[in-house]
Each structure stands twice: as structure tokens, then as C-alpha cells.
Amino acid sequence: MQHPKKRFAKMDRLERVLVDDIKSMARLLDAPARARNPSKLSRSWRAVVVSHSALRTLVKDILRDTSDPRVVSPGGRRAIRDLNSAAKDMKNQLREWAGINRLIEEQMHPEARPLFADPIVTGAAPDVMDHISALFIDALHKVANPQEFTQSPEAEDAGLHRDIPLPMAQFSAMLWAAYRLCLAQRKPHALRFLDVGSGGGTKVLAAQTCFETCHGLEYEEGTVAFGTKLLETLGAQACSLIQGDAFSYSDYASYDAIYFYRPLKSTEHMIDLEARIFAQVDPGTILMVPGGLLTPEHEEAGVQHVSGHVYVTGMDETEAQALHAAARDIGTAIPDYSRQPLSEPSLWDPLLEVSRRNGHSV
């Protein structure tokens, strides 16, 4: 058998070739779908296929040659065991190939999909699981808002609504659309979500499926205390509640998506609150507003309707339409930041990361 050091060196060289090819492919994919060059993508992916095949063949040969404990080599039995172990580790990484191949095929031949599903097409009758999910969501809302039917005198005087539990199906559809719109803007930072008038934080908890940092702004101190305890109990480290007045809050610009559902009873006061948010946020901020904005002619404030009850700030109509088109090209995978990420690094990480930014996952 060839000396283990030579086999190690060859495996290392082929791994470096594959890693370089993977990084090149990731760079080509890290662009809007309509800006990618199909010919360059095809050539780059072919290079990955070839380098992967070469490394896989070598690993297979090494495992075959080192699996027999009676095999000896110039490097000794320990060198053979080390080589066998390294080959097994590489085999474990290479076995992700089928999923990676499907992932890339999806992005080489992207399919535009609407931000909101057509209810006529997807309007199947709720099944038992739908009813069970609704039951648990309602129970969670009650746990997070034990004072649901009472308010402090201060909240009453301020004209605040009690927490209005928008059905989670409606919220999730808006959240999904907002996430894809954020991805379409190729933002270089971790995405942040804010619920204005969050109550006990059930929507904040749900938002961590798509956003890496999720905050809720709530006026009632008692509600914040109950909601915070629940989030801590559930281990929702990305989620937190902030006690404060929406009119004195000055950090709206920190968020990529902002959700609010009539936290104020007065239409006039809601229009004032919308104006405060409009004035603070950065261009490209996504607003999720069930029922729609109340500000008349909000386009004059640079806020454009995108789809459903989702809006974008700081854009004219043409820019908003272009963003909508780009978001339709974003994949429909959900990152689900509520799950613990895999701790082990992989040679596929560059492709997995850029694919996540494109809305795709294994």
C-alpha cells in the first residue's frame, strides 16, 4: 500500500481544490437571481462536481485499503488508523452531496413564487392538526397575557387597545413575505424584527422562525413581566420585550421589519404613530400592518404598498415593484432561528450560507 503520508497529502490537496471550487460557486450565487450568469454558474458547478467526484473516489479507495486490520504499510499501523479515521470523517461530509446537489439545482433554475399564497388554490378545509395548532396558540396567548381583559388606568387614559390576537395563520403569511422582502434587499446584517404593542410576546416568539433578533415594545409593565418570564422559560434567547411608550420610543431605525396591529384606539393617534415610525426608519424597512395603514396618501411619505398588508419605506413605486419582483425570486425555505444551529463546520458551509440568503435550504 502507498505510504499513508502520501495518501494524506493527496486527500488534503483534493479537499483544498473542492473547497476553492465551492467558494467560487458561492460567490456566483451571492447575487439576485436575475443578475446571475447561467453559463458561469454551469461551468462553476461542473468544477465542483468534478472535484467532489475525485475526492470521493480517493476516500473510497483509502477506506477499502485501510479497513483490513492486517494491512501494514511503511508508516505502521497507527498511521493506517489515522488515515482511516480521516477518510471516514471526510466521507461523512461528502455524504451531504445529494442535498447540496438539489439545493444548487433549485438556484440554477429559479422559480418565481408569490409572496402570499392564493387562497383559492390553497384553501383546503382545516384538518385536525390545524385545530390542534390553533388550540395551542390560543393557550399560549392566554399564558403570555394573563391580564388580557384588564388594563392599567394609565393604559386606559392613553387610549391603548388590549392585545389583539391576530390569527397566527395571517401573521405567519405576513412574516414570511416580510422575510423574503428583506432577503431580496441583500442586507449584510442579521435581520431584526419589532412588534409595536406586543402584549405578552407570542408574535415575537413566532417571529424567530424568520428573524435572528426579535423584540416586542409593550406599554404595560405587568404584561412585559409575564411575557418575559414565558420567553425565558421557553429558552427564546433571540426574543425580548421592552417596556415603553411607542410615541417616546426612538429606536425604530434598528429594525428591518416592524409589525403593529392597532395598538391605539384612536385613528388620529394611529396616524400620528405611523408618522413617527415613517420618520425614523431606514429606507427598505418592511412594515407589516394587518388591516392596512391608516395614513391617507402614505406614498407621499415614501411608503409603498408591496403585497397584502405589507409595505416598504423609502422607495418610490417603481423601486417597490422591483423589490417585489426580486422577492418573488427568493426561495421559500424557512430558516427557523428557534432551532439550535449545527455546531460542526462543514466544507459545504459557503454554499449553505449563500443558499440561506437566497431563501433555500437542504
Side-chain angles (χ1 to χ4, degrees):
M1 189 182 88
Q2 189 179 34
H3 197 291
K5 284 187 177 181
K6 292 185 177 181
R7 283 288 187 82
F8 262 120
K10 186 174 183 180
M11 185 163 63
D12 181 65
R13 178 175 60 81
L14 291 180
E15 180 183 359
R16 281 186 278 110
V17 171
L18 177 57
V19 167
D20 288 343
D21 289 340
I22 287 172
K23 289 179 179 178
S24 296
M25 185 66 186
R27 285 192 292 270
L28 291 175
L29 282 175
D30 198 12
R34 301 183 189 194
R36 298 174 199 149
N37 185 310
S39 297
K40 288 184 178 180
L41 278 176
S42 181
R43 288 195 298 270
S44 183
W45 183 238
R46 178 59 184 168
V48 174
V49 171
V50 171
S51 54
H52 165 266
S53 179
L55 181 55
R56 183 184 60 181
T57 298
L58 176 63
V59 167
K60 183 179 179 180
D61 291 345
I62 290 174
L63 291 175
R64 180 197 62 210
D65 295 342
T66 60
S67 60
D68 189 341
R70 297 170 296 179
V71 173
V72 296
S73 79
R77 295 190 183 280
R78 180 172 182 178
I80 292 177
R81 288 197 300 268
D82 291 344
L83 179 60
N84 180 270
S85 177
K88 286 181 178 178
D89 289 341
M90 181 54 64
K91 181 182 178 181
N92 287 335
Q93 293 205 54
L94 295 179
R95 66 166 40 128
E96 297 180 40
W97 174 254
I100 297 295
N101 188 50
R102 176 188 58 77
L103 191 66
I104 301 305
E105 284 294 324
E106 290 175 354
Q107 294 171 82
M108 291 180 68
H109 307 285
E111 177 184 350
R113 302 186 185 187
L115 292 189
F116 289 90
D118 187 342
I120 298 177
V121 175
T122 60
D127 59 17
V128 173
M129 189 61 197
D130 292 324
H131 287 287
I132 293 173
S133 298
L135 175 65
F136 274 84
I137 291 169
D138 182 61
L140 185 65
H141 176 80
K142 291 177 180 177
V143 170
N145 298 273
Q147 297 173 313
E148 179 182 10
F149 301 109
T150 61
Q151 276 187 306
S152 67
E154 293 80 8
E156 290 285 354
D157 292 342
L160 303 182
H161 269 303
R162 301 183 182 92
D163 186 44
I164 306 173
L166 182 75
M168 193 61 77
Q170 290 179 242
F171 176 78
S172 62
M174 297 178 72
L175 186 75
W176 188 51
Y179 171 66
R180 294 173 71 197
L181 286 163
C182 287
L183 289 186
Q185 296 180 64
R186 320 301 293 185
K187 296 190 174 188
H189 54 262
L191 299 177
R192 293 164 57 88
F193 166 91
L194 176 69
D195 178 355
V196 181
S198 63
T202 54
K203 298 298 190 296
V204 176
L205 179 67
Q208 70 175 328
T209 56
C210 293
F211 290 81
E212 293 176 78
T213 299
C214 305
H215 293 162
L217 178 63
E218 171 57 36
Y219 184 87
E220 294 274 36
E221 291 186 16
T223 301
V224 170
F226 277 110
T228 298
K229 185 176 181 180
L230 176 64
L231 293 174
E232 290 175 350
T233 300
L234 296 175
Q237 298 180 358
C239 303
S240 62
L241 302 183
I242 303 165
Q243 194 279 320
D245 187 332
F247 281 103
S248 59
Y249 192 65
S250 59
D251 201 25
Y252 291 114
S254 294
Y255 300 94
D256 302 286
I258 298 176
Y259 165 81
F260 51 92
Y261 186 22
R262 287 303 298 261
L264 300 164
K265 296 177 181 178
S266 165
T267 297
E268 182 180 353
H269 290 167
M270 275 301 309
I271 292 174
D272 290 342
L273 176 59
E274 290 176 1
R276 181 173 180 82
I277 294 173
F278 297 166
Q280 283 194 32
V281 296
D282 290 333
T285 301
I286 306 303
L287 304 180
M288 306 159 56
V289 191
L293 290 170
L294 296 175
T295 300
E297 299 177 350
H298 49 76
E299 295 86 356
E300 294 181 2
V303 181
Q304 300 292 332
H305 174 252
V306 180
S307 183
H309 289 145
V310 173
Y311 304 79
V312 64
T313 65
M315 293 187 181
D316 60 30
E317 183 177 0
T318 300
E319 291 169 326
Q321 289 177 352
L323 176 62
H324 187 188
R328 285 168 55 89
D329 291 333
I330 293 293
T332 56
I334 305 299
D336 195 358
Y337 293 111
S338 64
R339 296 182 296 186
Q340 292 297 318
L342 297 176
S343 58
E344 292 296 325
S346 164
L347 57 85
W348 305 110
D349 282 349
L351 285 177
L352 293 172
E353 176 58 27
V354 73
S355 295
R356 183 193 65 78
R357 292 198 295 271
N358 291 335
H360 296 269
S361 64
V362 175

